[in-house]
């Protein structure tokens, strides 16, 4: 009985402290296959820097493929894409997150990962620029979020939706932005708390292309210090063909 309890505790603690492993595609295009074989059916093509989740299983033996005049031997790994497609990918063409993190000696932040959960989306990790990009739709609105990591941490949220508003309708545009951010906040992970920004938009007179302190909502004068800490600002909207594009930038400041 005591032995069973020890085993159970070990299993629980292992699950609690296990971390999710990501792989990053390190070639221009990589085949995701139905089974761990070079002859297996191709499910889709993975693009360079695309992020996939490691499901936790690899092939029993290594496979060999020829790249130019060089033969490469590696295992196949079972992964899941951002669209929940599960398949096998040849290990030579992917880099695991731990190996990748060792390469980032100049970065004081963790590698950026997904910003929204619970939505069908297109996602891409750019290894060169250290950014994670997501595109998705909520109701009738298109969203994209660029999550920039490393020393300057930002979320750039772009919103596109149908609208007959004019630029002079600033209050209505702010109301529209607030409505869209409320919808987004239901899926948004709290690197930045969108509810705080939403309160500022609801209660204060926010101007376009103006920096505001994230917590207080106080306007930041250009003459103030270069790094005031976490800020947000709404860029001047773009209006065309009964559509409106709004961009809001959430920035943490230098870390």
């Amino acid at each position: 009985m005591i032995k069973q309890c020890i085993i159970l505790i070990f299993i629980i603690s292992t699950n609690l402290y296990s971390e999710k492993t990501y792989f990053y595609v390190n070639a221009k295009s990589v085949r995701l296959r139905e089974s761990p074989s070079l002859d297996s059916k191709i499910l889709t093509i993975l693009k360079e820097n695309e992020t996939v989740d490691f499901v936790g299983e690899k092939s029993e033996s290594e496979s060999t493929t020829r790249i130019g005049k060089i033969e490469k031997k590696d295992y196949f790994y079972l992964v899941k894409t951002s669209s929940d497609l599960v398949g096998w990918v040849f290990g030579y063409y992917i880099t695991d997150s731990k190996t990748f993190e060792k390469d980032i000696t100049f970065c004081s932040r963790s590698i950026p990962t997904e910003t929204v959960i619970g939505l069908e989306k297109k996602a891409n990790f750019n290894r060169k620029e250290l950014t994670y990009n997501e595109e998705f739709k909520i109701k009738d609105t298109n969203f994209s979020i660029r999550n920039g990591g490393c020393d300057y941490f930002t979320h750039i949220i772009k919103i596109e939706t149908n609208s007959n508003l004019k630029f002079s309708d600033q209050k209505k545009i702010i109301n529209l932005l607030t409505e869209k951010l409320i919808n987004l906040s239901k899926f948004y992970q709290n690197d930045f708390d969108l509810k705080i920004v939403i309160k500022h938009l609801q209660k204060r007179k926010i101007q376009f292309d103006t920096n505001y302190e994230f917590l207080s909502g106080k306007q930041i004068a250009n003459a103030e210090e270069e790094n005031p800490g976490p800020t947000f600002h709404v860029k001047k909207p773009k209006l065309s063909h009964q559509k409106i594009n709004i961009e809001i930038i959430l920035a943490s400041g230098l870390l």
Side-chain angles (χ1 to χ4, degrees):
M1 180 67 179
I2 294 174
K3 184 178 179 181
Q4 289 175 334
C5 290
I6 292 172
I7 294 172
L8 180 61
I9 291 169
F10 175 77
I11 293 171
I12 292 172
S13 62
T14 302
N15 289 334
L16 285 174
Y17 290 98
S18 62
E19 294 183 359
K20 193 174 185 179
T21 300
Y22 297 95
F23 284 134
Y24 308 102
V25 177
N26 59 20
K28 288 187 178 180
S29 61
V30 178
R31 297 174 178 87
L32 183 71
R33 297 185 180 274
E34 189 175 53
S35 60
S37 166
L38 293 168
D39 299 323
S40 175
K41 178 183 176 182
I42 299 171
L43 299 177
T44 189
I45 301 295
L46 304 175
K47 296 180 180 178
E48 187 173 15
N49 294 317
E50 186 172 346
T51 307
V52 292
D53 297 339
F54 177 45
V55 177
E57 186 178 347
K58 72 176 184 179
S59 58
E60 294 182 358
S61 59
E62 292 180 304
S63 298
T64 303
T65 186
R66 182 176 291 276
I67 302 173
K69 296 181 179 180
I70 304 173
E71 286 190 347
K72 293 294 180 182
K73 183 184 257 189
D74 211 325
Y75 293 94
F76 273 88
Y77 293 84
L78 188 63
V79 300
K80 183 171 71 172
T81 69
S82 59
S83 59
D84 291 332
L85 186 62
V86 176
W88 296 85
V89 62
F90 189 55
Y92 178 76
Y93 296 113
I94 53 179
T95 303
D96 68 88
S97 58
K98 291 180 181 178
T99 301
F100 179 74
E101 286 169 10
K102 290 177 183 177
D103 295 337
I104 310 303
T105 56
F106 60 88
C107 189
S108 62
R109 281 196 57 86
S110 60
I111 297 169
T113 55
E114 58 185 345
T115 305
V116 294
I117 56 175
L119 288 168
E120 184 177 340
K121 60 188 175 182
K122 294 181 181 178
N124 174 264
F125 176 76
N126 188 314
R127 176 171 177 167
K128 184 177 180 180
E129 297 182 3
L130 291 183
T131 57
Y132 192 89
N133 302 285
E134 298 167 284
E135 296 179 10
F136 51 94
K137 193 169 187 175
I138 301 175
K139 296 182 179 180
D140 59 345
T141 303
N142 294 318
F143 289 86
S144 71
I145 297 180
R146 185 175 186 266
N147 173 355
C150 206
D151 290 327
Y152 199 76
F153 182 49
T154 58
H155 282 185
I156 301 175
I157 304 172
K158 295 183 179 181
I159 300 169
E160 181 188 74
T161 190
N162 296 325
S163 174
N164 293 318
L165 293 175
K166 299 179 180 179
F167 183 71
S168 57
D169 300 324
Q170 179 166 330
K171 288 185 178 180
K172 292 182 179 179
I173 292 174
I174 293 296
N175 289 338
L176 178 65
L177 171 61
T178 304
E179 175 193 333
K180 302 306 178 184
L181 289 182
I182 289 172
N183 291 336
L184 175 61
S185 67
K186 299 171 185 176
F187 306 94
Y188 193 91
Q189 299 190 86
N190 289 333
D191 284 321
F192 295 99
D193 191 343
L194 277 190
K195 293 178 182 178
I196 294 176
V197 178
I198 290 167
K199 286 181 179 179
H200 294 323
L201 293 172
Q202 290 173 330
K203 297 180 179 180
R204 299 178 183 273
K205 189 177 181 181
I206 302 297
Q207 301 293 322
F208 300 132
D209 291 328
T210 303
N211 283 325
Y212 293 91
E213 290 181 358
F214 188 83
L215 293 175
S216 69
K218 179 183 176 182
Q219 185 174 329
I220 300 171
N222 294 330
E224 290 192 15
E225 60 180 307
E226 186 177 338
N227 179 26
T231 64
F232 74 94
H233 78 267
V234 182
K235 296 189 72 172
K236 183 179 178 180
K238 296 179 181 178
L239 306 167
S240 61
H241 307 294
Q242 295 186 327
K243 287 186 177 295
I244 184 169
N245 287 272
I246 310 175
E247 185 174 305
I248 181 169
I249 300 175
L250 311 178
S252 70
L254 294 176
L255 298 176

